[in-house]
Amino acid sequence: MRLYAHPFSSYCQKALIAFYENGTPFEWGLLSPENEPALAEHAALWPLRRMPVLVDAGRTVTEASLIVEYLDLHHRGPVRLLPQDPCDALEVRSLDRCFDNYVMTPMQKIVLDLIRPAEHRDPYGVTEARRLLDTSYAWLDGRLAGRTWAAGDAFGLADCAAAPSLFYADWVHPISAEHRVLRAYRLRLLARPSFARAVDEARPFRKFFPPGAPDRD
């Protein structure tokens, strides 16, 4: 398998966690400016040029959630990333979408706004993104109460989504001390070997984080 990705990307980390959880072998197609062949291959495979993209035996899989599900279907290891029970799997998918849409998306809104020229920035949109993060943090703090992982006792797809989204979101809009459950969950994710590996691989790129990376994690 060949994974077109970059280690500092939150969505790429989401897919990488799934690979690392089960020690699934893959080849990097590193999407960096100096790796022109990989960039050209990636653009040919997925003209929208979003990452990550997985190629396996001639099949192309786009979007991080689908890559995680694909691995669970076709390269399953000891850690099952989606429950066998359809109703339990629906809960996992629901939380996966919550982390992507209501944590990852507003976090990226804040980060990307800083990349724009000053005259094209969107203060109103950033304020709305921060408000959405506050609402999401409060809801997740209640939803995760009494749980080890996002959907219960088993680590899975939703945690693959939660790890990078909460990791970066807390950098740009800190999770307040009142949300003790969510803060503790973020720490458990950071201690998970699969995510710890992804975080370590991304360390050399922290200097490029637009708001500036904090001296922690």
Side-chain angles (χ1 to χ4, degrees), residues 36-177:
E36 293 183 4
L39 292 173
E41 292 166 12
H42 176 243
L45 289 164
W46 189 221
L48 295 182
R49 302 190 186 195
R50 296 294 188 266
M51 54 185 173
V53 169
L54 177 67
V55 176
D56 181 30
R59 177 181 289 175
T60 300
V61 186
T62 62
E63 301 297 326
S65 294
L66 297 181
I67 290 172
V68 175
E69 292 214 31
Y70 180 86
L71 293 174
D72 203 53
L73 282 171
H74 298 286
H75 298 275
R76 183 170 298 157
V79 179
R80 183 158 190 157
L81 299 168
L82 275 120
Q84 188 171 4
D85 180 85
C87 290
D88 291 342
L90 191 63
E91 165 76 356
V92 170
R93 290 189 179 100
S94 173
L95 285 162
D96 169 69
R97 303 321 307 137
C98 286
F99 283 113
D100 276 8
N101 293 329
Y102 309 127
V103 180
M104 196 96 79
T105 295
M107 175 274 292
Q108 290 185 332
K109 167 66 177 177
I110 296 168
V111 172
L112 293 175
D113 195 71
L114 290 170
I115 300 174
R116 292 177 172 180
E119 65 272 21
H120 295 302
R121 288 182 181 166
D122 178 16
Y124 178 82
V126 168
T127 298
E128 289 297 297
R130 292 188 182 280
R131 185 175 292 117
L132 178 54
L133 282 173
D134 283 333
T135 302
S136 299
Y137 290 167
W139 182 81
L140 287 165
D141 194 65
R143 186 63 174 265
L144 299 178
R147 299 180 177 186
T148 302
W149 302 112
D153 295 330
F155 187 95
L157 167 64
D159 304 290
C160 294
S165 63
L166 292 173
F167 177 74
Y168 286 118
D170 187 57
W171 280 10
V172 300
H173 191 75
I175 302 168
S176 68

Side-chain angles (χ1 to χ4, degrees), residues 1-4 19 24-30 41 53-55:
M1 286 186 286
R2 184 168 174 82
L3 182 69
Y4 293 88
F19 279 98
T24 307
F26 70 96
E27 177 185 79
W28 273 93
L30 182 62
E41 292 166 12
V53 169
L54 177 67
V55 176

